[in-house]
């Protein structure tokens, strides 16, 4: 059994201020000299960038649809190692998940699987006693979810807060730990596609400091920490997701594209490759860096290539090195932004067209509306870099673009993808390249990571044979 102080900050719905309060709580804990580990419920790459900036530790996702509860708990225990307290940010409302009839994929399911105390954020604007009815409903929907406290957000005044606090504590029997006043200046900047680089450059530090100030002024941080420390110990699952895959000999080298244009990676995906024997080396397409010469395989993750399309199109050194890499038969796996980058071109919403790597015979068009959003289960239509035919894995899609094949081109789909929109063919698989819009979580099927490294090792052996 392992002690893991923790709490989950959930909301009654989207837009109630849970991200703002989560960041303020993280920053306030950090001010106290605590090592804080951030987590985000569900498949979200944006909020974790804020967590990472505030805590100085790489934030991680926890999800009970992409992963089994046991695998998710193992990821949490591993990820929180060395932290004094873990703060999990919920997704949407506490009970919102994959479907309206169960808690699967919801913050509530995470809380139950991790035996984690929940702090419920309630927007109390224009409410007094009614706030108690809201909280009571959340308590009674599933009593197994341990709601241990409430934070009242957007209160009109301290007097208003006292009314809300009295009502909730009398009717619900749990403490109201504090409040934040309505303050439009404390809302996070609009999370448009260009914001993440600003977060990474530290340009939000003043905002984080202000959020910490507000939380410390209105929230009982000592009591909040006591609730986290009171969480029961956790035990590792009896079987690990690492058990089914062998460590590969030879330490294949995997190049990973990583910069402001390409940085959507589940940390567990990269760590799993390392645990299976790979050595990871990083390079930046934005800086026009070539794929490292020693690389046996290449990963190009998701991100915002459309935001940097002009720069990426000018960086011929990187594009040529990727084309040579593919021509040499080395394995390449690209997700979402990486998939877009391998295409012929990207057309922005303003109609400008920028040439990309050019391997995949299709053009990407950016759109003002979401093209796809949601969980996906993919099943391979044939053997490829990651899958045996018929094998499946889970992940999610989230993009504003569509990839249109060139007229007359044959399209070797990678897999069928099943989600709320039904079953569709998705991705591109040809020889040593696998690419698609779906962000896969390797822990949902750790064999796909091992299979990719087997192809990397084979590529290294073939290259060694050429020079023998």
């Amino acid at each position: 059994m392992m002690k893991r102080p923790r709490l989950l900050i959930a909301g009654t719905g989207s837009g109630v201020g849970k991200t703002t309060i989560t960041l303020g709580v993280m920053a306030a804990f950090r001010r106290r000299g605590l090592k804080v580990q951030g987590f985000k419920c569900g498949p979200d790459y944006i909020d974790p960038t804020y967590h990472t900036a505030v805590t100085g530790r790489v934030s991680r996702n926890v999800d009970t649809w992409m992963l089994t509860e046991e695998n998710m708990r193992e990821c949490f225990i591993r990820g929180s190692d060395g932290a004094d307290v873990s703060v999990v940010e919920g997704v949407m409302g506490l009970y919102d998940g994959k479907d309206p009839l169960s808690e699967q994929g919801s913050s509530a399911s995470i809380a139950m699987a991790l035996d984690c105390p929940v702090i419920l954020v309630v927007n109390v604007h224009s409410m007094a006693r009614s706030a108690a009815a809201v909280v009571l409903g959340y308590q009674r929907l599933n009593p197994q979810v341990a709601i241990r406290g409430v934070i009242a957000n957007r209160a009109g005044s301290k007097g208003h807060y006292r009314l809300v606090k009295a009502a909730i504590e009398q009717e619900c029997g749990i403490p109201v730990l504090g409040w934040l006043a309505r303050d439009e200046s404390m809302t996070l900047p609009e999370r448009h596609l260009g914001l993440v680089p600003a977060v990474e450059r530290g340009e939000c530090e003043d905002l984080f400091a202000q959020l910490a100030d507000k939380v410390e002024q209105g929230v009982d941080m000592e009591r909040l920490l006591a609730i986290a420390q009171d969480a029961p110990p956790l035990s590792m699952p009896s079987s690990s997701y690492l058990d089914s895959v062998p460590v590969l000999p030879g330490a294949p080298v995997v190049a990973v594209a990583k910069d402001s244009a390409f940085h959507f990676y589940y940390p567990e995906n990269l760590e799993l490759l390392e645990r299976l024997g790979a050595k990871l080396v990083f390079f930046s397409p934005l800086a026009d860096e070539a794929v490292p010469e020693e690389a046996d395989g290449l990963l190009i993750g998701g991100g915002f290539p459309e935001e940097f399309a002009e720069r990426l199109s000018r960086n011929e050194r990187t594009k040529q090195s990727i084309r040579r890499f593919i021509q040499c038969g080395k394995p390449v796996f690209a997700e979402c932004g990486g998939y877009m980058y391998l295409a012929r071109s990207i057309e922005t919403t303003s109609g400008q067209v920028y040439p990309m790597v050019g391997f995949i015979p299709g053009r990407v068009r950016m759109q003002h509306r979401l093209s796809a959003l949601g969980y996906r289960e993919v099943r391979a239509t044939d053997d490829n870099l990651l899958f045996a035919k018929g094998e499946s894995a889970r992940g999610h899609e989230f993009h504003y673009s569509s990839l249109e094949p060139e007229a007359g081109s044959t399209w070797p789909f990678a897999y069928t993808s099943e989600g709320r929109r039904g079953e569709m063919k998705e991705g591109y698989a040809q020889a040593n390249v696998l690419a698609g819009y779906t962000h896969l979580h390797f822990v949902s099927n750790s064999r796909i990571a091992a299979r990719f490294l087997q192809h990397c090792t084979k590529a290294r052996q073939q290259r060694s044979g050429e020079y023998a």
Side-chain angles (χ1 to χ4, degrees), residues 369-427:
R369 293 184 177 181
L370 269 172
S371 299
L373 170 65
Y375 286 121
R376 300 286 184 265
E377 182 163 19
V378 303
R379 190 172 303 278
T381 54
D382 210 335
D383 293 349
N384 58 44
L385 285 182
L386 269 64
F387 295 90
K389 182 178 180 179
E391 195 173 18
S392 65
R394 290 185 169 189
H396 79 284
E397 276 190 63
F398 178 59
H399 53 93
Y400 283 80
S401 67
S402 60
L403 200 154
E404 302 172 358
E406 290 180 347
S409 63
T410 57
W411 201 264
F413 286 104
Y415 27 65
T416 58
S417 172
E418 186 174 349
R420 286 183 179 178
R421 60 186 179 177
E423 188 174 278
M424 300 179 66
K425 292 182 178 180
E426 210 270 296

Side-chain angles (χ1 to χ4, degrees), residues 149-167:
V150 172
I151 294 176
N153 195 25
R154 297 175 187 154
S157 65
K158 192 167 187 178
H160 177 205
Y161 163 65
R162 286 172 178 160
L163 296 175
V164 169
K165 176 179 171 69

Side-chain angles (χ1 to χ4, degrees), residues 18-223:
K18 62 181 176 289
T19 299
T20 300
I21 290 174
T22 296
L23 295 175
V25 166
M26 288 176 170
F29 278 149
R30 189 118 193 255
R31 276 184 181 175
R32 286 162 167 72
L34 299 175
K35 295 177 182 176
V36 183
Q37 176 61 51
F39 291 91
K40 173 67 180 181
C41 294
D44 182 318
Y45 289 113
I46 304 299
D47 287 343
T49 64
Y50 287 93
H51 300 173
T52 300
V54 170
T55 66
R57 291 171 61 106
V58 175
S59 181
R60 298 163 181 272
N61 298 79
V62 281
D63 189 283
T64 52
W65 187 84
M66 291 191 295
L67 308 183
T68 65
E69 286 190 5
E70 291 76 13
N71 286 348
M72 184 277 295
R73 189 166 71 250
E74 179 178 352
C75 288
F76 178 86
I77 292 172
R78 291 183 185 277
S80 57
D81 187 37
D84 296 312
V85 61
S86 294
V87 180
V88 185
E89 180 184 349
V91 58
M92 299 183 290
L94 174 60
Y95 293 105
D96 298 318
K98 186 177 184 293
D99 65 70
L101 302 180
S102 77
E103 272 100 38
Q104 188 179 34
S106 69
S107 303
S109 70
I110 300 294
M112 289 187 290
L114 295 178
D115 206 355
C116 185
V118 173
I119 307 301
L120 187 66
V121 177
V122 182
N123 178 0
V124 300
H125 178 59
S126 300
M127 283 196 292
R129 182 170 169 77
S130 295
V134 172
V135 175
L136 196 59
Y138 278 79
Q139 288 178 303
R140 291 185 175 177
L141 184 61
N142 190 338
Q144 295 180 51
V145 179
I147 301 176
R148 294 286 304 279
V150 172
I151 294 176
N153 195 25
R154 297 175 187 154
S157 65
K158 192 167 187 178
H160 177 205
Y161 163 65
R162 286 172 178 160
L163 296 175
V164 169
K165 176 179 171 69
I168 293 173
E169 291 186 343
Q170 174 180 281
E171 301 299 335
C172 305
I174 56 174
V176 180
L177 301 169
W179 68 294
L180 273 72
R182 290 197 298 271
D183 186 348
E184 297 306 319
S185 69
M186 287 294 100
T187 58
L188 292 172
E190 182 67 25
R191 282 177 286 177
H192 54 79
L193 296 185
L195 178 65
V196 171
V199 176
E200 294 176 340
R201 290 194 298 265
E203 295 174 12
C204 291
E205 287 181 1
D206 288 345
L207 174 62
F208 296 155
Q210 292 174 46
L211 291 175
D213 290 341
K214 293 290 184 181
V215 166
E216 288 183 326
Q217 290 165 14
V219 177
D220 188 340
M221 292 301 298
E222 297 306 320
R223 199 168 183 185

Side-chain angles (χ1 to χ4, degrees), residues 45 254-258 261-265 269-270 273 283 285 291 297-303 305 322 325-326 330-343 356-360 364 378 384-387 396-397 399 403 411-415 426-442 448 452 456:
Y45 289 113
V254 177
V256 182
K258 194 157 191 301
F262 306 102
H263 58 93
F264 288 173
Y265 297 99
N269 284 13
L270 301 182
L273 293 174
F283 74 105
V291 179
L298 171 61
L299 295 182
I300 311 176
I322 293 173
F325 197 90
I326 294 172
K330 297 179 183 180
V332 178
F333 175 53
E335 291 182 321
C336 201
Y339 182 39
M340 296 160 62
Y341 185 47
L342 291 183
M356 293 291 127
V357 172
F359 173 76
I360 294 175
V364 174
V378 303
N384 58 44
L385 285 182
L386 269 64
F387 295 90
H396 79 284
E397 276 190 63
H399 53 93
L403 200 154
W411 201 264
F413 286 104
Y415 27 65
E426 210 270 296
Y428 185 92
Q430 182 175 329
N432 54 314
V433 176
L434 176 65
Y437 271 121
T438 303
H439 296 275
L440 297 176
H441 204 305
F442 287 1
I448 63 179
F452 179 71
C456 294

Side-chain angles (χ1 to χ4, degrees), residues 230-246:
D230 193 44
L234 292 172
S235 60
M236 273 286 195
S238 56
S239 61
S240 169
Y241 58 81
L242 299 171
D243 292 342
S244 62
V245 288

Side-chain angles (χ1 to χ4, degrees), residues 343-361:
R344 296 278 196 252
S345 63
I346 292 178
E347 181 179 336
T348 67
T349 53
S350 61
Q352 294 172 298
V353 178
Y354 296 100
M356 293 291 127
V357 172
F359 173 76
I360 294 175

